Amino acid sequence: RQGAGAWLPDGDALTGEPFLVVAELATNAKAERGRADHRILLAAALDESDLELAAGDGVERITTLAWDRERDDLRVRTERRLGALVLASTLGPAEPGGATIAALLDHVRATRLEVLGWSRAARVLQARLQYAHRAFGDSWPNVSDDALLASLDEWLAPRLHDMTRRVQLERIDVGRLLRDFVGHHRVHQLDTVVPTTFTLANGRRIPIDYGGEQPALAVRVQDLYGTTTHPSVADGKIPLVLHLLSPAGRPVQITADLPGFWAGSWSEVRKDMAGRYPKHDWPLDPASATPRRRR
């Protein structure tokens, strides 16, 4: 009951009893068998009803809300205890409420947001918003993982009032919460200044990658024939870093100055591409050539 340890010799008749009342312990137990607790010399068996009668009001009911690692879920453990002795223990689901919200938020922090329902579209939206924050300042909120973790009480906690389980966290539409957090009118503005795609002269729409320091576009060089102005976003204020690709999708060159590339190193690239892909068109003046048709 006080939390100390004691043991019985092998084969003792009392070893199978659930509870013992101990009258005498060996005083030299530390030297025996190398054990640090005490050997029982004299004891009697108790069943649970005897224990309840003897303990009286000493038996407590203790409820603990914690993350169960085996189930990987939030559970409530209810124990009946007499001091350090656990008389009975049950495990059940959590109930909605403030303590449950706090425990769910703790798990979101422990997983650094990964437990939430991140779709690819949600991560793309986060990257675009974060680039807008870097490029245009605090007029756009900081939605990096660190910033979102620091503001969970603001954007996530209000959505957890009826939630009690991990699977509910996994079903959260983070993209929708980000749009609510930023404001839907600002998201529409985002489509103008930090668009998801860039439309080429041949009509193809290419996804823009905002994951790096500068927004980037991976595009086959043939799709840029006829393009004389370097692709950009934010009304021409921010040039896109072009990752130029071969017909097979292999890297050819990286540039932030397409007209300079046409006028400069294109001649060497053209010779190499013509040797590798002779069935394709490699014009001397790509800026005035007709772009490859959309497919």
Side-chain angles (χ1 to χ4, degrees), residues 126-144 186 189-190 192-195 208-216 232-240:
Q126 182 194 28
R128 292 170 63 213
L129 287 167
Q130 194 57 18
Y131 180 77
H133 174 73
R134 295 199 309 270
F136 306 115
D138 291 337
S139 61
W140 292 92
N142 184 350
V143 294
S144 66
R186 297 302 308 277
Q189 185 182 355
L190 185 74
T192 300
V193 296
V194 186
I208 301 173
D209 180 9
Y210 291 96
E213 287 299 316
Q214 289 294 114
S232 61
V233 294
D235 296 326
K237 298 182 180 69
I238 300 174
L240 297 173

Short mmCIF file of all heavy atoms in Angstrom, two decimals, residues 126-144 186 189-190 192-195 208-216 232-240:
data_model
loop_
_atom_site.label_atom_id
_atom_site.label_comp_id
_atom_site.label_asym_id
_atom_site.label_seq_id
_atom_site.Cartn_x
_atom_site.Cartn_y
_atom_site.Cartn_z
N GLN A 126 -0.50 25.79 -48.25
CA GLN A 126 0.40 26.28 -47.20
C GLN A 126 1.66 26.89 -47.81
O GLN A 126 2.10 27.97 -47.38
CB GLN A 126 0.77 25.14 -46.25
CG GLN A 126 1.67 25.58 -45.10
CD GLN A 126 2.29 24.41 -44.36
OE1 GLN A 126 2.51 23.34 -44.94
NE2 GLN A 126 2.58 24.59 -43.09
N ALA A 127 2.25 26.21 -48.80
CA ALA A 127 3.48 26.71 -49.42
C ALA A 127 3.23 28.05 -50.12
O ALA A 127 4.07 28.96 -50.05
CB ALA A 127 4.02 25.69 -50.42
N ARG A 128 2.09 28.19 -50.78
CA ARG A 128 1.77 29.45 -51.46
C ARG A 128 1.57 30.58 -50.45
O ARG A 128 2.08 31.70 -50.64
CB ARG A 128 0.51 29.28 -52.31
CG ARG A 128 0.69 28.36 -53.51
CD ARG A 128 -0.65 28.06 -54.14
NE ARG A 128 -1.29 29.25 -54.67
CZ ARG A 128 -2.61 29.43 -54.68
NH1 ARG A 128 -3.43 28.52 -54.17
NH2 ARG A 128 -3.11 30.56 -55.17
N LEU A 129 0.83 30.29 -49.37
CA LEU A 129 0.61 31.31 -48.35
C LEU A 129 1.93 31.70 -47.68
O LEU A 129 2.16 32.88 -47.40
CB LEU A 129 -0.37 30.78 -47.29
CG LEU A 129 -1.83 30.69 -47.72
CD1 LEU A 129 -2.62 29.87 -46.71
CD2 LEU A 129 -2.44 32.08 -47.87
N GLN A 130 2.78 30.72 -47.45
CA GLN A 130 4.05 31.01 -46.81
C GLN A 130 4.95 31.83 -47.73
O GLN A 130 5.68 32.70 -47.26
CB GLN A 130 4.73 29.71 -46.38
CG GLN A 130 5.89 29.90 -45.41
CD GLN A 130 5.49 30.63 -44.13
OE1 GLN A 130 4.31 30.74 -43.79
NE2 GLN A 130 6.47 31.13 -43.43
N TYR A 131 4.89 31.54 -49.02
CA TYR A 131 5.68 32.36 -49.94
C TYR A 131 5.15 33.80 -49.96
O TYR A 131 5.94 34.75 -49.98
CB TYR A 131 5.67 31.79 -51.36
CG TYR A 131 6.50 32.66 -52.27
CD1 TYR A 131 7.89 32.59 -52.23
CD2 TYR A 131 5.90 33.59 -53.12
CE1 TYR A 131 8.67 33.43 -53.01
CE2 TYR A 131 6.67 34.43 -53.91
CZ TYR A 131 8.05 34.34 -53.85
OH TYR A 131 8.81 35.18 -54.62
N ALA A 132 3.82 33.97 -49.94
CA ALA A 132 3.23 35.31 -49.91
C ALA A 132 3.70 36.06 -48.66
O ALA A 132 3.99 37.26 -48.71
CB ALA A 132 1.71 35.23 -49.95
N HIS A 133 3.79 35.34 -47.55
CA HIS A 133 4.28 35.95 -46.30
C HIS A 133 5.73 36.40 -46.46
O HIS A 133 6.10 37.51 -46.04
CB HIS A 133 4.13 34.96 -45.15
CG HIS A 133 4.73 35.43 -43.86
ND1 HIS A 133 4.15 36.41 -43.09
CD2 HIS A 133 5.87 35.05 -43.20
CE1 HIS A 133 4.90 36.62 -42.01
NE2 HIS A 133 5.94 35.82 -42.06
N ARG A 134 6.56 35.56 -47.07
CA ARG A 134 7.97 35.92 -47.25
C ARG A 134 8.13 37.07 -48.24
O ARG A 134 8.96 37.96 -48.05
CB ARG A 134 8.78 34.71 -47.75
CG ARG A 134 8.88 33.57 -46.77
CD ARG A 134 10.04 32.64 -47.12
NE ARG A 134 10.05 32.21 -48.50
CZ ARG A 134 9.45 31.13 -48.95
NH1 ARG A 134 8.77 30.34 -48.12
NH2 ARG A 134 9.51 30.79 -50.23
N ALA A 135 7.33 37.04 -49.30
CA ALA A 135 7.52 38.01 -50.37
C ALA A 135 6.87 39.36 -50.08
O ALA A 135 7.41 40.41 -50.45
CB ALA A 135 6.96 37.45 -51.69
N PHE A 136 5.73 39.35 -49.39
CA PHE A 136 4.95 40.59 -49.22
C PHE A 136 4.81 41.02 -47.76
O PHE A 136 4.14 42.00 -47.47
CB PHE A 136 3.56 40.42 -49.84
CG PHE A 136 3.61 39.97 -51.28
CD1 PHE A 136 3.10 38.74 -51.65
CD2 PHE A 136 4.18 40.77 -52.25
CE1 PHE A 136 3.14 38.32 -52.97
CE2 PHE A 136 4.23 40.36 -53.58
CZ PHE A 136 3.71 39.13 -53.94
N GLY A 137 5.42 40.26 -46.84
CA GLY A 137 5.43 40.70 -45.45
C GLY A 137 4.22 40.26 -44.65
O GLY A 137 3.47 39.35 -45.04
N ASP A 138 4.00 40.94 -43.53
CA ASP A 138 3.00 40.52 -42.55
C ASP A 138 1.57 40.76 -42.98
O ASP A 138 0.64 40.45 -42.23
CB ASP A 138 3.26 41.22 -41.21
CG ASP A 138 4.54 40.73 -40.54
OD1 ASP A 138 4.95 39.59 -40.86
OD2 ASP A 138 5.12 41.47 -39.73
N SER A 139 1.37 41.36 -44.14
CA SER A 139 -0.01 41.45 -44.65
C SER A 139 -0.57 40.07 -44.95
O SER A 139 -1.79 39.89 -45.03
CB SER A 139 -0.06 42.31 -45.91
OG SER A 139 0.75 41.75 -46.95
N TRP A 140 0.34 39.08 -45.11
CA TRP A 140 -0.06 37.68 -45.23
C TRP A 140 0.44 36.94 -44.00
O TRP A 140 1.58 37.13 -43.59
CB TRP A 140 0.54 37.05 -46.50
CG TRP A 140 -0.05 37.61 -47.75
CD1 TRP A 140 0.41 38.66 -48.48
CD2 TRP A 140 -1.23 37.16 -48.40
NE1 TRP A 140 -0.40 38.89 -49.55
CE2 TRP A 140 -1.42 37.98 -49.53
CE3 TRP A 140 -2.15 36.14 -48.13
CZ2 TRP A 140 -2.50 37.81 -50.39
CZ3 TRP A 140 -3.22 35.97 -49.01
CH2 TRP A 140 -3.39 36.80 -50.11
N PRO A 141 -0.40 36.10 -43.37
CA PRO A 141 0.00 35.46 -42.12
C PRO A 141 1.09 34.42 -42.31
O PRO A 141 1.23 33.83 -43.39
CB PRO A 141 -1.30 34.81 -41.63
CG PRO A 141 -2.09 34.57 -42.87
CD PRO A 141 -1.76 35.72 -43.79
N ASN A 142 1.85 34.20 -41.27
CA ASN A 142 2.86 33.15 -41.24
C ASN A 142 2.16 31.81 -40.98
O ASN A 142 1.57 31.62 -39.91
CB ASN A 142 3.88 33.45 -40.14
CG ASN A 142 5.02 32.45 -40.12
OD1 ASN A 142 4.99 31.42 -40.78
ND2 ASN A 142 6.05 32.74 -39.34
N VAL A 143 2.19 30.90 -41.95
CA VAL A 143 1.52 29.60 -41.78
C VAL A 143 2.53 28.46 -41.89
O VAL A 143 2.18 27.34 -42.28
CB VAL A 143 0.38 29.41 -42.81
CG1 VAL A 143 -0.75 30.38 -42.55
CG2 VAL A 143 0.90 29.54 -44.25
N SER A 144 3.79 28.73 -41.53
CA SER A 144 4.76 27.65 -41.45
C SER A 144 4.33 26.66 -40.37
O SER A 144 3.49 26.97 -39.51
CB SER A 144 6.15 28.21 -41.10
OG SER A 144 6.14 28.76 -39.79
N ARG A 186 -9.06 36.65 -48.94
CA ARG A 186 -7.62 36.72 -49.15
C ARG A 186 -7.14 35.54 -50.01
O ARG A 186 -6.18 35.68 -50.77
CB ARG A 186 -6.86 36.71 -47.82
CG ARG A 186 -7.13 37.87 -46.89
CD ARG A 186 -6.81 39.22 -47.51
NE ARG A 186 -5.48 39.34 -48.09
CZ ARG A 186 -4.38 39.62 -47.39
NH1 ARG A 186 -4.44 39.79 -46.08
NH2 ARG A 186 -3.22 39.75 -47.99
N GLN A 189 -7.53 36.51 -53.46
CA GLN A 189 -6.44 37.43 -53.80
C GLN A 189 -5.15 36.68 -54.03
O GLN A 189 -4.35 37.03 -54.91
CB GLN A 189 -6.27 38.46 -52.68
CG GLN A 189 -5.25 39.53 -52.99
CD GLN A 189 -5.08 40.50 -51.83
OE1 GLN A 189 -5.79 40.43 -50.83
NE2 GLN A 189 -4.12 41.40 -51.96
N LEU A 190 -4.95 35.62 -53.26
CA LEU A 190 -3.75 34.79 -53.41
C LEU A 190 -3.67 34.21 -54.81
O LEU A 190 -2.59 34.08 -55.39
CB LEU A 190 -3.75 33.68 -52.37
CG LEU A 190 -2.52 32.79 -52.29
CD1 LEU A 190 -1.37 33.55 -51.63
CD2 LEU A 190 -2.82 31.52 -51.48
N THR A 192 -4.39 35.51 -57.45
CA THR A 192 -3.89 36.52 -58.38
C THR A 192 -2.40 36.75 -58.22
O THR A 192 -1.65 36.80 -59.21
CB THR A 192 -4.65 37.86 -58.16
OG1 THR A 192 -6.05 37.64 -58.38
CG2 THR A 192 -4.13 38.93 -59.11
N VAL A 193 -1.94 36.89 -56.97
CA VAL A 193 -0.53 37.25 -56.75
C VAL A 193 0.39 36.04 -56.68
O VAL A 193 1.56 36.11 -57.06
CB VAL A 193 -0.38 38.11 -55.48
CG1 VAL A 193 -1.09 39.43 -55.64
CG2 VAL A 193 -0.87 37.38 -54.24
N VAL A 194 -0.13 34.90 -56.18
CA VAL A 194 0.67 33.68 -56.07
C VAL A 194 -0.16 32.53 -56.65
O VAL A 194 -0.69 31.69 -55.92
CB VAL A 194 1.08 33.38 -54.61
CG1 VAL A 194 2.02 32.19 -54.54
CG2 VAL A 194 1.75 34.60 -53.98
N PRO A 195 -0.32 32.47 -57.97
CA PRO A 195 -1.20 31.47 -58.59
C PRO A 195 -0.63 30.06 -58.49
O PRO A 195 0.57 29.87 -58.29
CB PRO A 195 -1.27 31.92 -60.05
CG PRO A 195 0.02 32.66 -60.27
CD PRO A 195 0.32 33.34 -58.97
N ILE A 208 3.17 25.61 -60.40
CA ILE A 208 4.29 26.40 -59.87
C ILE A 208 4.66 25.83 -58.50
O ILE A 208 3.80 25.59 -57.66
CB ILE A 208 3.92 27.88 -59.75
CG1 ILE A 208 3.52 28.44 -61.11
CG2 ILE A 208 5.08 28.68 -59.17
CD1 ILE A 208 2.97 29.86 -61.04
N ASP A 209 5.95 25.63 -58.30
CA ASP A 209 6.45 25.10 -57.03
C ASP A 209 6.93 26.26 -56.16
O ASP A 209 7.86 26.98 -56.52
CB ASP A 209 7.60 24.12 -57.30
CG ASP A 209 8.19 23.54 -56.02
OD1 ASP A 209 7.60 23.75 -54.94
OD2 ASP A 209 9.22 22.85 -56.11
N TYR A 210 6.26 26.42 -54.99
CA TYR A 210 6.62 27.49 -54.07
C TYR A 210 7.42 26.97 -52.87
O TYR A 210 7.56 27.67 -51.86
CB TYR A 210 5.36 28.21 -53.57
CG TYR A 210 4.66 29.00 -54.64
CD1 TYR A 210 3.59 28.45 -55.35
CD2 TYR A 210 5.05 30.30 -54.94
CE1 TYR A 210 2.94 29.18 -56.34
CE2 TYR A 210 4.40 31.04 -55.93
CZ TYR A 210 3.35 30.46 -56.63
OH TYR A 210 2.71 31.19 -57.60
N GLY A 211 7.95 25.78 -52.97
CA GLY A 211 8.65 25.18 -51.83
C GLY A 211 10.04 25.72 -51.60
O GLY A 211 10.59 25.58 -50.50
N GLY A 212 10.65 26.35 -52.60
CA GLY A 212 12.01 26.88 -52.46
C GLY A 212 12.02 28.35 -52.11
O GLY A 212 10.99 28.95 -51.77
N GLU A 213 13.21 28.96 -52.23
CA GLU A 213 13.33 30.38 -51.93
C GLU A 213 12.57 31.22 -52.95
O GLU A 213 11.99 32.25 -52.61
CB GLU A 213 14.80 30.78 -51.91
CG GLU A 213 15.57 30.30 -50.69
CD GLU A 213 15.01 30.87 -49.40
OE1 GLU A 213 14.70 32.08 -49.36
OE2 GLU A 213 14.85 30.09 -48.44
N GLN A 214 12.57 30.79 -54.21
CA GLN A 214 11.84 31.48 -55.26
C GLN A 214 10.89 30.50 -55.94
O GLN A 214 11.19 29.30 -56.03
CB GLN A 214 12.82 32.03 -56.31
CG GLN A 214 13.64 33.22 -55.83
CD GLN A 214 12.78 34.43 -55.56
OE1 GLN A 214 12.67 34.87 -54.42
NE2 GLN A 214 12.17 34.99 -56.59
N PRO A 215 9.74 30.97 -56.41
CA PRO A 215 8.82 30.07 -57.12
C PRO A 215 9.47 29.52 -58.38
O PRO A 215 10.22 30.22 -59.06
CB PRO A 215 7.61 30.95 -57.44
CG PRO A 215 8.12 32.35 -57.36
CD PRO A 215 9.22 32.34 -56.34
N ALA A 216 9.17 28.27 -58.68
CA ALA A 216 9.87 27.60 -59.78
C ALA A 216 8.87 26.89 -60.69
O ALA A 216 7.77 26.50 -60.27
CB ALA A 216 10.89 26.60 -59.24
N SER A 232 6.57 35.08 -65.09
CA SER A 232 6.60 35.68 -63.76
C SER A 232 5.22 35.61 -63.13
O SER A 232 4.23 35.24 -63.77
CB SER A 232 7.07 37.14 -63.84
OG SER A 232 6.16 37.89 -64.64
N VAL A 233 5.15 35.97 -61.85
CA VAL A 233 3.89 36.08 -61.12
C VAL A 233 3.86 37.45 -60.45
O VAL A 233 4.81 38.23 -60.56
CB VAL A 233 3.72 34.95 -60.08
CG1 VAL A 233 3.59 33.60 -60.77
CG2 VAL A 233 4.89 34.94 -59.09
N ALA A 234 2.76 37.72 -59.75
CA ALA A 234 2.58 38.99 -59.03
C ALA A 234 2.73 40.17 -59.97
O ALA A 234 3.49 41.12 -59.72
CB ALA A 234 3.57 39.10 -57.87
N ASP A 235 1.96 40.12 -61.08
CA ASP A 235 1.97 41.21 -62.08
C ASP A 235 3.37 41.50 -62.59
O ASP A 235 3.75 42.67 -62.78
CB ASP A 235 1.35 42.48 -61.48
CG ASP A 235 -0.12 42.30 -61.14
OD1 ASP A 235 -0.82 41.56 -61.87
OD2 ASP A 235 -0.57 42.88 -60.14
N GLY A 236 4.15 40.45 -62.80
CA GLY A 236 5.47 40.61 -63.37
C GLY A 236 6.56 40.98 -62.38
O GLY A 236 7.72 41.15 -62.76
N LYS A 237 6.20 41.10 -61.10
CA LYS A 237 7.19 41.53 -60.10
C LYS A 237 8.13 40.41 -59.69
O LYS A 237 9.27 40.66 -59.27
CB LYS A 237 6.48 42.09 -58.87
CG LYS A 237 5.63 43.32 -59.11
CD LYS A 237 5.03 43.81 -57.81
CE LYS A 237 4.17 45.06 -58.03
NZ LYS A 237 2.95 44.76 -58.78
N ILE A 238 7.67 39.15 -59.78
CA ILE A 238 8.47 38.03 -59.28
C ILE A 238 8.72 37.05 -60.42
O ILE A 238 7.80 36.35 -60.87
CB ILE A 238 7.76 37.31 -58.12
CG1 ILE A 238 7.52 38.29 -56.97
CG2 ILE A 238 8.58 36.12 -57.65
CD1 ILE A 238 6.70 37.72 -55.84
N PRO A 239 9.97 36.97 -60.92
CA PRO A 239 10.27 36.01 -61.99
C PRO A 239 10.27 34.58 -61.47
O PRO A 239 10.66 34.32 -60.32
CB PRO A 239 11.66 36.43 -62.45
CG PRO A 239 12.27 37.09 -61.25
CD PRO A 239 11.14 37.77 -60.53
N LEU A 240 9.84 33.66 -62.30
CA LEU A 240 9.88 32.25 -61.96
C LEU A 240 11.24 31.67 -62.32
O LEU A 240 11.82 32.02 -63.35
CB LEU A 240 8.78 31.49 -62.71
CG LEU A 240 7.34 31.87 -62.40
CD1 LEU A 240 6.38 31.16 -63.35
CD2 LEU A 240 6.99 31.54 -60.96
#
